[in-house]
Amino acid sequence: MQRLALRPSSEPDVDPAGHRITDAVVASFANAPDPRLRSLMTVLVRHLHDAVRETGLTMEEWRFAVDYLTRTGLTCTGTRQEFILLSDALGVSMLVDAINHEAAGATETTVLGPFYVADSAVMPLGADISRGLPGTPLLVEGTVRSSFGGPLAGASVEVWQSDADGTYDVQKDDGEGYALRAHFKTDGQGRFHFWSITPCSYPIPNDGPVGDMLAATGRHPYRPAHVHFLISAPGHAPLVTHVFAEGDPYLADDAVFGVKPSLVRPFALQHPDDAPAARRDGRAWRRLSYDFALNPTR
């Protein structure tokens, strides 16, 4: 009988694809007390290591990736969240949104975006949130109801948007404070309305690492015109969504993949004489109407 030749003990046990490294890292999580964390870290490491193997990642590319993430973190400030922007531009934000939100009769959700501010002013219904900024006046009106019931009185309606040039207040360093954002409370019939100015399509911040990624991959940075909403009411899941302007050229090519057909509405042009008496100033204006539905948490 022919004997098998044994490999000398001095010869290294070759693992060219590094699977033993992956197995060792996964095994290091075995004693994690939180089973969900253990599962998340295991899946993350296996997919991350597989991506490195599949692409044959070079040392130069690995160093570039580390530097890129470092620059992304350093770009973040109190008013700019570059990591959220990166998640948005890679479609991760909308994927997480899709996995975690089934409409089930409620208004569809979309990304929060990097420009949300939690402490915007509480304003009365009918207020003008434009703070005198130039632009075509826009009346925003609608209702908030439960997806399995009637109107929701006293619901919180948070709104924010860009100005007529596509810039958010937090992107400016003018010392003037917040504009084009506010909190409202619905009336007894679940209704709300306020005045603003008409937003336009705009580029996401592209002067940092996310902009570098878009330029390097031949992508544009533009989002279609929209108004953000964060709506909440007791006993119901909060709703984070936008309403997009019908006819905007970027509806089919949103840089953060956030457009859903149910969230598109006309920002309908109105004749100057049709404005409420207190708002008549000879200018044409626009009207946006949308009725929101929230899912009960039960």
Side-chain angles (χ1 to χ4, degrees):
M1 178 181 295
Q2 184 179 5
R3 293 175 177 244
L4 295 175
L6 297 178
R7 183 168 50 201
S9 59
S10 60
E11 184 177 333
D13 192 0
V14 179
D15 180 22
H19 289 287
R20 290 186 181 177
I21 298 172
T22 303
D23 292 341
V25 177
V26 169
S28 73
F29 304 134
N31 296 322
D34 185 335
R36 176 61 175 169
L37 176 61
R38 182 169 63 249
S39 174
L40 289 172
M41 293 302 296
T42 297
V43 172
L44 174 63
V45 165
R46 289 204 181 279
H47 283 279
L48 183 59
H49 285 213
D50 283 344
V52 171
R53 276 186 284 269
E54 181 180 342
T55 60
L57 197 71
T58 67
M59 288 299 296
E60 291 76 13
E61 290 165 340
W62 174 78
R63 291 190 188 97
F64 181 89
V66 172
D67 177 68
Y68 182 84
L69 293 175
T70 302
R71 289 190 294 117
T72 300
L74 292 173
T75 305
C76 296
T77 68
T79 57
R80 176 168 177 169
Q81 230 305 346
E82 194 77 0
F83 272 113
I84 288 182
L85 194 64
L86 180 60
S87 174
D88 291 351
L90 293 176
V92 176
S93 301
M94 283 303 298
L95 179 58
V96 174
D97 176 82
I99 292 170
N100 285 274
H101 295 99
E102 294 185 10
T107 301
E108 289 193 286
T109 55
T110 188
V111 296
L112 181 68
F115 299 122
Y116 171 69
V117 175
D119 59 349
S120 60
V122 178
M123 302 184 74
L125 293 177
D128 189 335
I129 68 173
S130 70
R131 210 186 62 197
L133 290 172
T136 301
L138 173 69
L139 173 63
V140 182
E141 59 186 2
T143 62
V144 180
R145 63 175 179 84
S146 174
S147 61
F148 294 105
L152 294 173
S156 173
V157 180
E158 295 183 58
V159 298
W160 64 104
Q161 64 168 87
S162 72
D163 63 20
D165 294 323
T167 306
Y168 285 80
D169 51 4
V170 294
Q171 294 178 281
K172 301 177 181 179
D173 188 20
D174 57 9
E176 295 296 325
Y178 296 147
L180 297 171
R181 65 177 73 237
H183 282 64
F184 296 96
K185 294 289 186 181
T186 58
D187 67 14
Q189 288 73 50
R191 299 173 301 192
F192 69 90
H193 68 285
F194 63 92
W195 285 89
S196 184
I197 55 175
T198 305
C200 68
S201 50
Y202 64 86
I204 60 175
N206 59 351
D207 58 344
V210 173
D212 293 344
M213 182 273 290
L214 294 177
T217 55
R219 290 176 52 188
H220 73 75
Y222 282 88
R223 301 212 64 205
H226 58 272
V227 177
H228 293 262
F229 291 86
L230 194 166
I231 302 177
S232 57
H236 292 76
L239 171 69
V240 177
T241 196
H242 310 357
V243 179
F244 296 91
E246 185 179 80
D248 190 283
Y250 294 103
L251 285 175
D253 194 19
D254 180 9
V256 306
F257 313 99
V259 177
K260 299 177 180 179
S262 68
L263 301 177
V264 178
R265 287 291 186 276
F267 285 39
L269 188 64
Q270 309 291 313
H271 192 276
D273 294 342
D274 294 331
R279 299 282 309 190
R280 288 180 191 164
D281 57 6
R283 291 188 295 167
W285 53 288
R286 292 184 179 273
R287 183 194 299 266
L288 167 61
S289 299
Y290 199 98
D291 296 324
F292 298 90
L294 275 56
N295 268 334
T297 52
R298 288 182 285 116

